[in-house]
Amino acid sequence: MIPQPQDAEHHAPRRLGWRRNLVGSRVLVTGATSGVGRAIALELARRGARVLATGRRGERLAEVAEAAAGLEGSPLLHAAGDITSPIFRRKLIHTAIEHFGGLDLVVAAAGSGAIGRFRDATADTLTEIMAVDFFAPAELVRESLPALLAGRDPAIVLVGSILGYHPLPLHAEYCAAKAALRSLAGTLRTELAADGIGVLLASLGPTESEFWNHLLTGSRPGWSRGRAMSAARTARIIVRAIVWRRREVLPGWRAKGFALLARLFPRLIDRSLRHRMRRSR
Ligand SMILES: NC(=O)c1ccc[n+]([C@@H]2O[C@H](COP(=O)([O-])OP(=O)(O)OC[C@H]3O[C@@H](n4cnc5c(N)ncnc54)[C@H](OP(=O)(O)O)[C@@H]3O)[C@@H](O)[C@H]2O)c1
């Protein structure tokens, strides 16, 4: 059974100022073993938040905790497991409440990708991508809500992709999952506003991380190479967006430019993609 947060009785909407104060904030970060999740966990710890970091690779989590110990901020707690498991997700929330006394911020950064034509892929690829990139963060949010409702200035951060704005060929499963996540962020933002829970969608463009090393199928496409943003810079932008209570953030000019093009000229993007696909046959 998940223990009751210590301050469960104070759950009226609590907007505590223009800027969110992260000092002492009780945070759960998924995908914290590498890349953007790791960088967000460290940036939050540096700013004085109490972080519970998770991912499957326990040795990596120990290394993140060591890196956090070298910062001025709070020590970082960690728990290894598969975020697609409902039992593990509940264990995480239980751990946060047990050790921190509650939960104020959930950052869902775990993600995984696959490259290849949809017709050549199997149902397993679609199932696994949807499980990691959509169902796990969606259910983690649902399962965290009782604790967040009792939290201090609570918020949810969903780490999405610019491919949630406009899909690319050879990324069908991933684009579908990130589009679903973007849609969920929109629903939650309005549904949870009256409860005082903020929702931030971070839609990333190409970012330096281990993402391309762990693809379920295929290999890193050319468009993702070069001029990718560092995970550390991306994390700083996302954490600043949490502080400033933003609803959406597109880190870097490439992400912003793509989202703008997708909004203004979707057919132009598709024409160029069709042309590329024909040339690559
Ligand atoms: N890199 C990019 O260019 C890019 C662009 C747009 C969006 N994004 C998004 O950014 C987020 C972070 O990705 P990243 O670029 O930082 O890639 P990354 O370095 O590969 O990090 C992915 C993280 O997700 C965790 N993860 C994957 N499957 C998991 C599972 N079943 N259970 C628990 N944890 C799992 C991994 O940990 P373990 O392997 O230890 O489990 C790792 O910590 C993802 O949501 C990704 O879709 C990335």
Side-chain angles (χ1 to χ4, degrees):
M1 210 177 85
I2 295 178
Q4 284 301 302
Q6 279 163 13
D7 41 3
E9 66 278 14
H10 309 297
H11 58 78
R14 301 134 303 227
R15 190 182 162 117
L16 303 174
W18 289 108
R19 293 180 52 157
R20 181 174 276 110
N21 180 6
L22 293 173
V23 177
S25 233
R26 300 158 300 182
V27 188
L28 167 60
V29 183
T30 77
T33 51
S34 62
V36 177
R38 176 187 186 279
I40 293 175
L42 288 175
E43 179 63 12
L44 287 167
R46 191 185 66 78
R47 285 170 173 256
R50 286 183 283 168
V51 177
L52 170 57
T54 185
R56 287 166 301 184
R57 289 166 291 172
E59 74 290 352
R60 286 295 196 90
L61 289 171
E63 181 272 321
V64 179
E66 217 172 280
L71 304 170
E72 296 271 291
S74 305
L76 182 142
L77 202 67
H78 53 94
D82 190 328
I83 201 64
T84 63
S85 153
I87 296 168
F88 179 64
R89 288 194 302 266
R90 283 198 287 274
K91 184 182 149 199
L92 285 172
I93 299 165
H94 185 288
T95 306
I97 295 171
E98 200 172 52
H99 288 266
F100 301 153
L103 188 60
D104 307 312
L105 184 60
V106 172
V107 181
S112 141
I115 304 289
R117 284 176 189 267
F118 187 70
R119 68 169 182 228
D120 299 331
T122 65
D124 288 348
T125 306
L126 180 59
T127 305
E128 172 127 18
I129 294 287
M130 289 303 284
V132 178
D133 291 277
F134 181 64
F135 291 122
E139 294 304 338
L140 179 67
V141 165
R142 200 201 314 269
E143 289 150 1
S144 303
L145 284 177
L148 289 175
L149 279 167
R152 178 172 65 84
D153 206 2
I156 294 160
V157 181
L158 299 175
V159 178
S161 164
I162 50 169
L163 302 188
Y165 281 77
H166 193 99
L168 296 190
L170 309 180
H171 299 64
E173 300 85 357
Y174 183 73
C175 293
K178 292 299 188 185
L181 195 68
R182 181 172 173 229
S183 174
L184 179 73
T187 295
L188 291 175
R189 199 174 287 128
T190 45
E191 273 190 16
L192 299 176
D195 296 312
I197 301 178
V199 177
L200 169 68
L201 174 69
S203 297
L204 312 191
T207 312
E208 280 312 328
S209 74
E210 297 179 14
F211 187 80
W212 305 106
N213 308 344
H214 301 292
L215 292 171
L216 293 186
T217 60
S219 54
R220 184 172 188 165
W223 68 265
S224 71
R225 293 173 207 270
R227 274 180 283 164
M229 253 177 81
S230 77
R233 177 141 181 255
T234 303
R236 282 197 298 275
I237 292 171
I238 293 173
V239 171
R240 231 178 290 138
I242 300 172
V243 168
W244 286 104
R245 304 178 188 284
R246 298 268 307 274
R247 36 183 283 140
E248 197 147 359
V249 63
L250 289 145
W253 65 266
R254 288 184 110 195
K256 286 185 184 64
F258 184 86
L260 189 67
L261 272 181
R263 195 167 295 152
L264 298 178
F265 307 112
R267 287 158 65 124
L268 194 68
I269 298 181
D270 281 350
R271 204 180 309 148
S272 138
L273 291 170
R274 276 201 305 270
H275 182 63
R276 280 180 185 218
M277 283 298 286
R278 255 185 250 124
R279 271 197 324 194
S280 68
R281 274 186 156 185

